[in-house]
Amino acid sequence: METKFTFAKTIIREAGQFIRSAMAEKLKIEEKTQFDDLVTNLDKAAQDLLIAKIKSAYPKDNVMAEENGVRHPITDGHVWILDPIDGTVNFIVQGENFAVMIAYYEDGVGRFGLIYDVIKDVLYAGGGQFDVYANDKKMLPYQDKPFNRSLISANSSMFAENVHGIRDLARQTLGVRIYGGAGISMSQVMSGRLLAYFSFIQPWDYAAAFIMGEKLGYQLLTLDGQTPDFKNRQMIMFVPKQKLKAIKQFIK
Amino acid sequence: METKFTFAKTIIREAGQFIRSAMAEKLKIEEKTQFDDLVTNLDKAAQDLLIAKIKSAYPKDNVMAEENGVRHPITDGHVWILDPIDGTVNFIVQGENFAVMIAYYEDGVGRFGLIYDVIKDVLYAGGGQFDVYANDKKMLPYQDKPFNRSLISANSSMFAENVHGIRDLARQTLGVRIYGGAGISMSQVMSGRLLAYFSFIQPWDYAAAFIMGEKLGYQLLTLDGQTPDFKNRQMIMFVPKQKLKAIKQFIK
């Protein structure tokens, strides 16, 4: 497992380096399901690069990935879950605040996760048998703070429409921050800068944080408190375990 | 004016350095008007430091500043407008994403403005007769982009409640980002990462961006299209001049 984890840290930084070099060129942008659901040539190229490296090193392993319908189920064998550029809108508009994400599962059991903030050059990696690090710094487990000394983050529509009581919870806190991109947002939760994150996302958006968060005292659940299905887009929350009961007073 | 501008760049970095050093110690936090309107001992100490330096160098100049009711009107003589820590909630909870801000006015005419992102160590400074720089890099004027390739930022309640049509505008764009703190947010507008910013803020929150933005093609207006009064807390927008007409189709 040590070897695979080291391999994952190497290829995620290579993918990040590829994106940083290539983003100076003009992007080719396409709409997927609607005008604000975008993909670029670099999302696809970075995914192809990651898959090629995985298939070359581990020919029998399988892949679930965001682009091009690569959808091997996580419960079946050795599965790498890839999000080549998480936060594509930020990538296109801001040129920052996006991440490459990798998670590795064996027969549905999470072994390690990685979130690489490409422009800040911070790699969050660990989970399973591995401690979680932000680059060379070991990350601390959740340190308890009251709601009135905390900030939360949420999908903007879910916040505005108070879906499942998200805005009711926000009112107990110092407010809401919206950064765009699940990976960046959940790395901020694990860093202690946000108490919790609420969104409507896909398996490749949460697979890495699911594993890493577990190690740091966080839980990734659907908004009705279940384990997500790793198949469909679902409403999820990423919250400190020791705050779950207090959060459930508002999130219903 | 050159001398005063240089002086301002020196003292704002000194205030930032003071905050960076002192924030390792435990903060004393007080509530002002309500539980989420906070001030720390360092907001006050940084303001005192800035005022002492200004009064020592320019004894006849006057000050309007956030803390302790320092409220000289901008229309009367040489006036420094200070926000010692803009984004105090971010400062307390996240230890980043806050700014020191200085603006300098002569009889109501803006001469230069400065926004210092303390943790990123980026000083945005200029306006009036001075080009605007982000550290050593000259900032470019607004480059036109369509709404569907842009992001906006807003006060979270004003966004959620569609105040003056902010959410209607957001729906034309790729979405909303909420960073907390007027200074950080408006520096992101001037950097081209956000199209526009909407909030309910005080003169010391917008005085610097008002001057710097003018030089880069942005306008700071109340939501009904007037020049803000530099006296009271008002709902404002910070928008590209060449997009004002298109924005006014939604912001009413």
Side-chain angles (χ1 to χ4, degrees), chain B residues 82-140:
Chain B
L82 310 178
D83 192 340
I85 298 181
D86 178 70
T88 300
V89 165
N90 286 351
F91 174 64
I92 293 169
V93 177
Q94 305 194 312
E96 61 179 27
N97 294 325
F98 62 91
V100 185
M101 296 201 284
I102 297 178
Y104 177 68
Y105 287 75
E106 290 183 347
D107 299 322
V109 179
R111 299 301 191 185
F112 52 76
L114 304 92
I115 300 175
Y116 183 41
D117 182 331
V118 174
I119 299 301
K120 289 209 180 107
D121 190 25
V122 179
L123 175 60
Y124 303 89
Q129 69 185 81
F130 305 105
D131 286 328
V132 184
Y133 280 77
N135 287 345
D136 295 333
K137 199 171 170 189
K138 189 172 165 185
M139 295 182 81
L140 299 173

Side-chain angles (χ1 to χ4, degrees), chain B residues 57-73:
Chain B
Y58 304 103
K60 290 179 190 161
D61 285 9
N62 300 295
V63 176
M64 175 193 287
E66 179 172 17
E67 310 304 339
N68 300 324
V70 180
R71 296 286 186 272
H72 194 89

Side-chain angles (χ1 to χ4, degrees), chain A residues 29 35-36 90 93-94 96 145 148-149 156 159-161 167 171 173-174 176-180 193, chain B residues 29 35-36 90 93-94 96 145 149 156 159-161 167 171 173-174 176-180 193:
Chain A
I29 302 170
F35 90 96
D36 61 351
N90 285 351
V93 178
Q94 304 192 313
E96 61 180 26
K145 286 198 285 191
N148 70 3
R149 287 290 178 272
S156 65
F159 165 74
E161 286 152 30
R167 211 168 159 212
R171 285 198 184 90
T173 72
L174 291 169
V176 70
R177 297 290 178 265
I178 298 178
Y179 300 125
R193 298 191 189 100
Chain B
I29 302 169
F35 90 95
D36 60 352
N90 286 351
V93 177
Q94 305 194 312
E96 61 179 27
K145 284 197 286 190
R149 286 291 177 272
S156 65
F159 165 73
E161 285 153 31
R167 210 167 159 213
R171 286 198 183 91
T173 73
L174 291 170
V176 70
R177 297 290 177 265
I178 299 179
Y179 300 125
R193 296 190 191 99

Side-chain angles (χ1 to χ4, degrees), chain A:
Chain A
M1 197 63 63
E2 190 80 38
T3 315
K4 266 192 177 168
F5 184 45
T6 303
F7 169 78
K9 288 189 277 192
T10 302
I11 63 171
I12 202 168
R13 285 191 180 274
E14 286 172 353
Q17 179 53 42
F18 164 75
I19 294 165
R20 279 193 301 268
S21 306
M23 66 192 279
E25 308 285 313
K26 190 165 168 55
L27 295 175
K28 292 186 195 72
I29 302 170
E30 286 169 51
E31 293 178 12
K32 293 197 283 190
T33 58
Q34 54 186 48
F35 90 96
D36 61 351
D37 182 18
L38 300 174
V39 64
T40 75
N41 54 313
L42 294 190
D43 295 69
K44 294 178 182 178
Q47 178 172 311
D48 290 348
L49 180 154
L50 288 168
I51 293 178
K53 285 180 187 284
I54 291 165
K55 285 291 184 182
S56 164
Y58 303 103
K60 290 180 191 160
D61 284 9
N62 298 296
V63 176
M64 176 194 287
E66 180 173 18
E67 310 304 340
N68 300 326
V70 181
R71 296 285 186 275
H72 193 90
I74 68 151
T75 46
D76 177 35
H78 295 187
V79 186
W80 296 79
I81 305 188
L82 310 178
D83 192 341
I85 298 182
D86 179 69
T88 300
V89 165
N90 285 351
F91 173 63
I92 293 170
V93 178
Q94 304 192 313
E96 61 180 26
N97 294 325
F98 62 91
V100 184
M101 297 201 284
I102 296 178
Y104 177 68
Y105 286 75
E106 291 182 346
D107 297 323
V109 179
R111 298 302 188 185
F112 53 76
L114 304 93
I115 300 174
Y116 183 41
D117 182 332
V118 174
I119 299 303
K120 289 207 180 106
D121 190 23
V122 179
L123 174 60
Y124 304 89
Q129 68 184 81
F130 305 105
D131 287 328
V132 184
Y133 280 77
N135 286 345
D136 296 332
K137 200 171 170 192
K138 190 174 163 182
M139 296 183 81
L140 299 173
Y142 172 69
Q143 308 288 307
D144 196 36
K145 286 198 285 191
F147 285 154
N148 70 3
R149 287 290 178 272
S150 300
L151 290 162
I152 69 163
S153 185
N155 169 291
S156 65
S157 297
M158 289 167 64
F159 165 74
E161 286 152 30
N162 196 26
V163 171
H164 280 261
I166 291 171
R167 211 168 159 212
D168 297 333
L169 173 65
R171 285 198 184 90
Q172 313 302 312
T173 72
L174 291 169
V176 70
R177 297 290 178 265
I178 298 178
Y179 300 125
I184 295 292
S185 304
M186 293 195 279
S187 73
Q188 297 304 294
V189 172
M190 291 188 282
S191 304
R193 298 191 189 100
L194 296 170
L195 175 73
Y197 174 65
F198 302 86
S199 197
F200 178 49
I201 56 180
Q202 298 277 8
W204 44 87
D205 294 317
Y206 61 72
F210 186 94
I211 306 171
M212 299 159 77
E214 218 282 326
K215 194 88 183 178
L216 295 169
Y218 299 91
Q219 229 170 342
L220 198 138
L221 298 166
T222 63
L223 291 195
D224 41 19
Q226 308 300 307
T227 301
D229 66 11
F230 287 87
K231 287 179 193 159
N232 302 297
R233 194 175 181 195
Q234 288 179 292
M235 289 194 189
I236 63 86
M237 56 182 168
F238 187 54
V239 300
K241 271 182 211 175
Q242 65 175 280
K243 272 281 193 280
L244 185 59
K245 200 174 151 190
I247 286 171
K248 278 187 169 172
Q249 292 188 292
F250 301 95
I251 303 296
K252 297 178 184 198

